[in-house]
């Protein structure tokens, strides 16, 4: 009898929801209420006929490539607001790049606040809301090496460790990385012996040399016991690394021999292809990504990455006439100026 009453209540509730939907003008509220009503019916009738996966697993499954690889980027409010938000510039790269538009379907934007999450949903991307730990506020711009910046980087590391434990390979990319060509042909994306491929601020000419200064703004990781152990060891150093960003901790671990100890196969990415403001690729025909590293503020990154987009458009317009040999990147004057009156060491 109780089960019958619960079923009747569920049907009545669903009817009210349908009336509500037909009278709604707000697009965003409809799927929320539909989902909530289905959960209510499921719990009311004690039904075990359907198992709901958690929100992250569901979103990962939607964004994943056939080999369980996803592209991960993290955004906050500072990246989605302004006359030309950093997120919009990031997406422009996928639109203008060579063989990059289809990659958007495998991009998962991880939002650390409600504003950036809503912006992501508005753009119809794959979105996931990451809750901050310790009541941290990740909304505003986090200046390089500020305490808030360091805390957000560690939260990122913890989240990425969770992805590996779920069995997903990923390419992590900062929002200030322009994807001008599809990077997967340059990455050993289907080579299961390659555990980690990571960008460098400057490339020493040897893709296997641990003397390359790593940059965690762009890297690819394959999920296996070795990489899971690496991320666990990495995150476990958080509390003993006060005032040190996670990138420097990983670099220290590498020089301590942790990569070798875990049996990791690690490749360091050539800046000829995976370029950045620290060391600019001189070959427009080879460059795959451009990272606004060695830059302190979002406004400076936006200004200089806009110049990158203009340079790329010029290259594209001249490539058909084979007149690109004299092209050079515009100087990154805004990023260079962002370090004035700062006591922070560039890196």
């Amino acid at each position: 009898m109780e089960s019958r009453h619960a079923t009747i209540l569920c049907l009545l509730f669903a009817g009210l929801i349908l009336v509500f939907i037909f009278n709604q003008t707000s697009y965003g509220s409809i799927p929320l209420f539909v989902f909530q009503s289905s959960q209510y019916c499921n719990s009311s009738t004690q039904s075990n006929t359907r198992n709901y996966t958690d929100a992250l697993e569901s979103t990962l499954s939607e964004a994943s490539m056939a080999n369980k690889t996803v592209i991960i980027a993290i955004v906050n409010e500072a990246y989605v607001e302004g006359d030309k938000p950093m997120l919009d510039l990031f997406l422009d790269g996928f639109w203008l790049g060579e063989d990059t538009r289809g990659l958007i379907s495998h991009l998962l934007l991880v939002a650390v606040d409600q504003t950036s999450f809503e912006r992501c949903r508005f753009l119809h991307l794959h979105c996931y809301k990451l809750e901050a730990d310790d009541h941290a506020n990740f909304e505003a711009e986090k200046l390089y090496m500020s305490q808030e910046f360091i805390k957000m980087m560690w939260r990122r590391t913890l989240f990425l460790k969770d992805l590996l434990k779920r069995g997903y390979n990923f390419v992590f990319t900062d929002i200030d990385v322009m994807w001008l060509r599809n990077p997967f042909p340059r990455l050993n994306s289907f080579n299961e012996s390659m555990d980690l491929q990571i960008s460098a601020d400057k490339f020493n000419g040897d893709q296997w040399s641990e003397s390359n200064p790593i940059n965690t703004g762009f890297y690819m990781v394959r999920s296996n016991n070795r990489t899971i152990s690496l991320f666990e060891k990495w995150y476990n150093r958080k509390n003993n690394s006060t005032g040190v960003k996670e990138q420097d901790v990983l670099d220290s671990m590498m020089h301590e021999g942790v990569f070798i100890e875990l049996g990791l196969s690690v490749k360091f990415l050539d800046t000829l292809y995976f370029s950045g403001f620290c060391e600019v690729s001189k070959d427009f025909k080879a460059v795959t990504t451009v990272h606004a590293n060695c830059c302190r503020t979002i406004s400076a990154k936006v200004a200089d990455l806009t110049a990158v987009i203009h340079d790329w458009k010029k290259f594209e317009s001249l490539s058909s006439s084979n007149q690109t040999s004299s092209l050079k990147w515009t100087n990154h004057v805004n990023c260079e100026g962002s370090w004035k009156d700062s006591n922070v060491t560039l890196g």
Side-chain angles (χ1 to χ4, degrees):
M1 183 66 70
E2 290 182 1
S3 176
R4 179 181 298 178
H5 287 163
T7 302
I8 293 172
L9 286 173
C10 179
L11 292 172
L12 288 173
F13 185 74
L16 289 173
I17 290 299
L18 288 173
V19 173
F20 176 82
I21 289 172
F22 283 116
N23 287 279
Q24 278 292 303
T25 59
S26 171
Y27 170 82
S29 62
I30 292 175
L32 174 62
F33 278 91
V34 171
F35 178 70
Q36 287 180 340
S37 66
S38 66
Q39 283 186 316
Y40 175 82
C41 294
N42 186 56
S43 60
S44 298
T45 59
Q46 301 285 313
S47 173
N48 294 317
T49 59
R50 182 175 181 182
N51 294 320
Y52 289 97
T53 57
D54 63 64
L56 177 57
E57 186 63 37
S58 176
T59 308
L60 285 168
S61 179
E62 291 173 1
S64 175
M65 301 177 191
N67 64 340
K68 291 197 74 174
T69 298
V70 291
I71 302 167
I72 301 292
I74 293 182
V75 291
N76 67 355
E77 182 178 327
Y79 286 125
V80 303
E81 295 194 330
D83 294 335
K84 181 64 175 179
M86 178 72 79
L87 175 59
D88 290 13
L89 196 61
F90 175 69
L91 296 176
D92 283 349
F94 285 89
W95 173 256
L96 296 169
E98 294 180 7
D99 193 28
T100 52
R101 292 186 185 181
L103 296 177
I104 287 290
S105 62
H106 302 298
L107 170 66
L108 171 58
L109 282 185
V110 180
V112 296
D113 55 67
Q114 188 62 27
T115 300
S116 57
F117 179 67
E118 290 174 1
R119 177 62 177 170
C120 178
R121 293 289 299 273
F122 177 79
L123 294 170
H124 301 287
L125 302 169
H126 297 297
C127 315
Y128 177 73
K129 173 75 179 298
L130 178 66
E131 299 297 335
D133 53 357
D134 300 328
H135 305 289
N137 179 2
F138 292 149
E139 294 180 4
E141 177 179 359
K142 307 306 175 191
L143 287 177
Y144 181 77
M145 287 308 295
S146 65
Q147 289 300 314
E148 293 80 8
F149 171 87
I150 292 172
K151 184 176 290 188
M152 189 162 66
M153 294 302 100
W154 281 116
R155 183 66 184 92
R156 180 177 87 179
T157 304
L158 178 62
F159 172 75
L160 295 175
K161 181 183 75 169
D162 186 25
L163 297 195
L164 293 176
K165 295 181 79 170
R166 290 170 181 260
Y168 285 91
N169 317 308
F170 64 81
V171 174
F172 177 81
T173 175
D174 277 343
I175 292 293
D176 61 348
V177 177
M178 294 291 100
W179 288 46
L180 300 179
R181 288 188 173 90
N182 185 341
F184 286 100
R186 294 280 177 196
L187 298 169
N188 297 95
S189 52
F190 293 96
N191 182 352
E192 295 188 3
S193 67
M194 191 62 61
D195 298 312
L196 170 65
Q197 298 170 83
I198 189 165
S199 61
D201 283 335
K202 295 185 178 181
F203 185 64
N204 69 6
D206 182 355
Q207 64 181 357
W208 310 112
S209 171
E210 292 186 349
S211 296
N212 287 293
I214 62 173
N215 189 299
T216 53
F218 183 93
Y219 60 98
M220 181 173 184
V221 186
R222 181 168 298 282
S223 173
N224 55 43
N225 290 336
R226 295 182 297 276
T227 56
I228 292 171
S229 295
L230 173 66
F231 272 69
E232 287 178 339
K233 288 177 178 290
W234 187 10
Y235 187 75
N236 286 342
R237 294 203 180 192
K238 169 179 172 285
N239 293 333
N240 295 323
S241 304
T242 304
V244 180
K245 64 181 184 294
E246 65 8 295
Q247 177 178 292
D248 293 339
V249 172
L250 183 63
D251 187 71
S252 295
M253 291 171 63
M254 176 179 67
H255 291 297
E256 291 169 14
V258 174
F259 287 8
I260 296 173
E261 173 190 324
L262 293 175
L264 290 167
S265 176
V266 181
K267 177 182 176 181
F268 302 90
L269 301 175
D270 191 339
T271 53
L272 176 68
Y273 308 107
F274 299 91
S275 179
F277 291 176
C278 296
E279 186 170 76
V280 180
S281 172
K282 294 180 174 59
D283 191 347
F284 275 83
K285 295 180 180 179
V287 69
T288 300
T289 60
V290 177
H291 185 190
N293 51 6
C294 293
C295 193
R296 187 165 182 257
T297 64
I298 291 178
S299 60
K301 290 172 184 281
V302 168
D304 285 348
L305 285 174
T306 299
V308 168
I309 291 292
H310 291 163
D311 292 341
W312 178 255
K313 287 181 176 179
K314 186 183 297 183
F315 164 76
E316 291 280 85
S317 66
L318 295 174
S319 59
S320 59
S321 57
N322 206 22
Q323 299 177 9
T324 60
S325 58
S326 61
L327 277 179
K328 294 183 179 179
W329 297 103
T330 302
N331 290 333
H332 314 303
V333 293
N334 294 280
C335 282
E336 291 172 1
S338 70
W339 296 98
K340 292 180 180 178
D341 303 321
S342 170
N343 295 321
V344 180
T345 302
L346 182 65

